[in-house]
Amino acid sequence: MRTLISVYDKTGLVEFARSLAESGHELVSTGGSAKALREAGLDVTLVEDITGFPEILDGRVKSLHPAIHAGLLARRDLASHVDTLRDHDITPIDILVSNLYPFEESVQNPELDDLAKIEQIDIGGPAMVRAAAKNFASVVVVTDPEDYDRVTALLSNNDLDLAERRRLAAKAFGHVATYDSLVASFLRDSEPMFPTELTLPLRHIATPRYGENPQQRAAAYVRLNANVSRLQGLLDAERLSGEPLSFNNYLDGDAAWRAVQQFDSPAAVIVKHMVPCGMAVRPTLSHAYDAAFDGDRVSAYGGVVAVNRPVDAMTASSMRKIKLDIIIAPNYEPDALTTLLKKKGTRLLSLPNRIDSAGRNVAELDVRPISGGMLVQTADGEDDDPDSWTIETTAVPTQEQRRDLVFAWKAARLVKSNAIVLVRDEAIVGVGAGQPNRLESVAIAARKAGDKAKGAALASDAFFPFADGIDHAIAAGVTSIVQPGGSVRDDEVIDAANRAGIAMLFTRTRHFRH
C-alpha cells in the first residue's frame, strides 16, 4: 500500500502519517512535507526517487509525471490498467493526502508583489487532487486535516467504503474549485464585473439551528475574495451567550448590524423580520436605545438590537426590561455584561464596528436565487450626497427638518419596498414596508406613528406615482418629505406639498429593496 503526501497545511500530518505507516503504508512525499515527516522519525520515499526525475523550475515541476499520475488514475478493476502499470513498473497509489498553496492568504499580503502572488498558484497539487478524486473507487483522497482522525478510524476497521470515498472526492473537488475561483477572481481583478462564467468561492463557517422554518435545514458560508480582505460581517461575531443562531437570526442580525454601521454618532437599531422598527441617533448610547425602543414598543419585543458603541450599564438596564432575541455590540462593559447575562434566551454577540466608511463601499455582488438560476447585481452601497438634493417646493426645510430627512433617507434604503419611513428628532416613529402600493405603506407608517407623525419627516424609497400618498402623509401631520422624484405626475405631487406649505426634496436616486 502506498500513500502520497504533499501538503502545505501540516496540521495533524505527523500523527496521521504515523498511523498510516503503522498500518503498512509506504509513505511517498515531496519537499517540505517529506522534511517534516523525516524530522518526526518516519521513513519517507521522495517523489523524485519514484519518478527518476529531480524537481526543476524552482519546484514548479516535481509531481507532474506519469509515474505519479498513472499511479493515481489507474482503475484497479480494469485488467488493462493493471497490466499497464506492471509493464511500466509503476506502483499504484492508494491514498493521496494533499492540500494546496496558501493562495488566499498570499494575495491579501500587501508585502507581496504580483509575481510573488502568482507563484502561489498551485499546479501540481490540484492536478493530483483531481486525478485521485476522479478515481475515488480506487484511491482515497484527503484534502482536509479535519478528516484525518475519521479516515484513520475507518481504515483501522476496514470501513472506508465507496460512499465514504465518494464523499471525500466531492470534498476534494470542492477544495480545488474554491481555489480556482479565487485565482480567477485575482487574475480578473475588477473587470469584467459580470464574466461569462462566474464562480463564487464560499467556505462553510456555521450551521444554523434550522432554516426559515424548523423543518428546513440550513448552512452559513463566508464569501471569499482574492483582491481584498474578506469583508467583515455578522458571521465574524463572537457569541458570548445564548443558543446558536437560526437562519432568520442571521438575516435579522445582519440587517441590524448593517443599519447601525451607517452612523458615526452613538446609534441603536431594532430590527424585526429584517425591518428596522426602531432606529435612533443620540449623544449617548442609552438615549439612542431608548429612542429606538420608543419608535415601536410593540414590535421591539423579541427583536434584534444592534448598537455601534460598547454597551454600558445604563443601556443594559434598559435592554433588560423586555425580551430581546439578539444584542449585537462592539463590546460590553463588565457591569453591562453581568446584567445582560441574566437575560434568559437573549444571545449576546460581540462584533467590532467597520473601521471606516471606506469599508462600507467595497464592491460587493448581491446574489439572489430564482428558479433555475441566480440574479447578480452590484450592491446598493454608494453613500448619498444630501448636498445634491433639490428643493422642489416653495417651502424650504429648516435645519432640523433637513437633519431628519437625511436620517429618514438612510432608514428608507434599509426597508423593503414600497418603503415609507417617518422620523422625528433622528428617530424612527413609523414604518410602512413591503406593500403592493405606496399609499398603503404611507397609511401603515402614519398609523404606527400616531401623534408622533405630527411634525415628522417622511422618506420614500421611490417616487410617489400619485398625489394621494402625499395627501395622506400631510393629513397625518408630516411637514417635510424626501423622495427620488421622476414620476410623470411629479408636478401634481409638488402642487399637493405646496398647497399644504410643506417642504419636499428630490434625491434623483432610488433605493428599492425587493
Side-chain angles (χ1 to χ4, degrees):
M1 301 285 282
R2 172 175 282 181
T3 293
L4 173 58
I5 300 174
S6 179
V7 299
Y8 179 84
D9 181 358
K10 298 176 179 60
T11 304
L13 178 64
V14 170
E15 294 80 4
F16 185 42
R18 182 170 285 116
S19 70
L20 293 171
E22 289 173 352
S23 64
H25 281 247
E26 175 196 5
L27 304 182
V28 178
S29 191
T30 62
S33 300
K35 180 182 178 183
L37 296 175
R38 284 180 167 176
E39 288 176 350
L42 294 169
D43 291 330
V44 180
T45 302
L46 294 177
V47 163
E48 60 192 63
D49 294 334
I50 301 297
T51 63
F53 202 90
E55 292 186 13
I56 61 172
L57 304 180
D58 299 317
R60 282 190 169 198
V61 178
K62 49 191 172 186
S63 61
L64 296 169
H65 191 280
I68 298 299
H69 284 271
L72 291 170
L73 285 165
R75 287 176 54 180
R76 316 302 159 78
D77 61 328
L78 290 181
S80 60
H81 283 203
V82 175
D83 290 344
T84 298
L85 292 183
R86 185 181 60 250
D87 292 344
H88 292 280
D89 195 24
I90 296 174
T91 301
I93 297 171
D94 302 286
I95 299 177
L96 172 69
V97 183
S98 182
N99 52 60
L100 311 180
Y101 292 167
F103 182 75
E104 180 184 350
E105 294 85 349
S106 298
V107 295
Q108 293 174 9
N109 185 346
E111 297 181 2
L112 297 181
D113 59 19
D114 262 17
L115 184 58
K117 293 174 182 178
I118 288 170
E119 283 303 311
Q120 292 301 315
I121 299 176
D122 203 330
I123 301 301
M128 290 192 297
V129 169
R130 289 172 61 85
K134 175 179 179 176
N135 199 25
F136 67 88
S138 300
V139 181
V140 177
V141 56
V142 187
T143 56
D144 185 354
E146 294 290 329
D147 286 321
Y148 289 170
D149 289 345
R150 176 181 174 85
V151 171
T152 297
L154 291 173
L155 282 171
S156 64
N157 294 321
N158 200 27
D159 286 337
L160 200 59
D161 59 16
L162 190 62
E164 181 64 20
R165 290 166 179 259
R166 188 182 185 111
R167 184 190 74 82
L168 290 168
K171 193 169 186 177
F173 273 114
H175 180 57
V176 174
T178 299
Y179 192 89
D180 285 347
S181 57
L182 279 168
V183 173
S185 175
F186 168 71
L187 296 176
R188 185 167 55 239
D189 201 1
S190 60
E191 296 294 337
M193 183 165 290
F194 306 116
T196 303
E197 294 180 320
L198 175 65
T199 53
L200 298 175
L202 305 171
R203 179 173 295 133
H204 183 270
I205 194 171
T207 301
R209 291 185 301 142
Y210 50 82
E212 282 185 278
N213 300 289
Q215 69 270 21
Q216 294 174 267
R217 298 173 63 189
Y221 290 81
V222 292
R223 190 182 301 178
L224 310 179
N225 193 313
N227 296 302
V228 297
S229 297
R230 184 171 63 80
L231 293 179
Q232 183 187 60
L234 187 68
L235 292 169
D236 299 293
E238 178 185 3
R239 179 163 50 92
L240 304 180
S241 72
E243 295 181 339
L245 275 62
S246 70
F247 189 91
N248 294 338
N249 291 153
Y250 277 112
L251 291 175
D252 286 338
D254 180 63
W257 186 76
R258 281 175 173 265
V260 84
Q261 293 306 300
Q262 295 186 101
F263 304 105
D264 296 322
S265 299
V269 175
I270 305 175
V271 163
K272 199 73 170 288
H273 302 301
M274 294 186 68
V275 175
C277 59
M279 187 165 82
V281 169
R282 291 291 184 271
T284 67
L285 184 62
S286 63
H287 288 104
Y289 171 77
D290 289 342
F293 175 65
D294 283 339
D296 189 340
R297 289 170 170 252
V298 175
S299 298
Y301 184 86
V304 173
V305 177
V307 297
N308 63 355
R309 293 289 191 278
V311 177
D312 54 34
M314 186 175 293
T315 306
S317 178
S318 296
M319 289 176 167
R320 195 184 173 193
K321 293 176 182 177
I322 67 162
K323 173 180 170 52
L324 294 172
D325 209 5
I326 301 172
I327 299 173
I328 307 169
N331 211 334
Y332 299 81
E333 294 182 2
D335 289 347
L337 188 59
T338 299
T339 297
L340 293 174
L341 285 174
K342 297 175 183 177
K343 284 179 65 65
K344 294 183 179 180
T346 298
R347 302 164 181 85
L348 302 182
L349 304 184
S350 176
L351 179 61
N353 293 323
R354 283 183 172 164
I355 295 173
D356 54 43
S357 59
R360 305 172 195 149
N361 297 325
V362 175
E364 294 182 79
L365 291 181
D366 179 9
V367 181
R368 305 190 194 183
I370 61 172
S371 300
M374 307 285 280
L375 295 177
V376 182
Q377 65 176 349
T378 56
D380 186 14
E382 291 297 321
D383 286 336
D384 292 291
D385 179 14
D387 291 336
S388 69
W389 300 351
T390 58
I391 301 171
E392 301 294 328
T393 51
T394 303
V396 176
T398 65
Q399 184 176 350
E400 290 76 15
Q401 286 176 330
R402 181 176 281 274
R403 179 199 62 191
D404 279 350
L405 289 170
V406 171
F407 184 92
W409 186 247
K410 287 183 176 181
R413 65 188 297 172
L414 305 169
V415 177
K416 294 287 187 180
S417 56
N418 291 308
I420 297 293
V421 176
L422 300 186
V423 167
R424 279 181 58 181
D425 192 21
E426 291 189 291
I428 289 177
V429 295
V431 175
Q435 300 304 306
N437 68 75
R438 197 158 298 278
L439 179 61
E440 187 65 23
S441 288
V442 174
I444 292 171
R447 176 170 54 80
K448 282 184 170 292
D451 289 341
K452 293 179 182 179
K454 293 180 173 62
L458 178 151
S460 173
D461 64 345
F463 63 64
F464 283 93
F466 302 96
D468 53 1
I470 297 289
D471 291 334
H472 197 112
I474 293 168
V478 168
T479 56
S480 60
I481 294 174
V482 61
Q483 59 134 322
S487 167
V488 294
R489 294 183 174 85
D490 273 349
D491 289 343
E492 297 176 21
V493 172
I494 295 169
D495 286 344
N498 279 330
R499 284 195 301 273
I502 71 168
M504 184 160 61
L505 305 183
F506 280 8
T507 67
R508 307 295 177 183
T509 303
R510 188 180 77 182
H511 287 301
F512 266 150
R513 289 191 76 218
H514 270 10

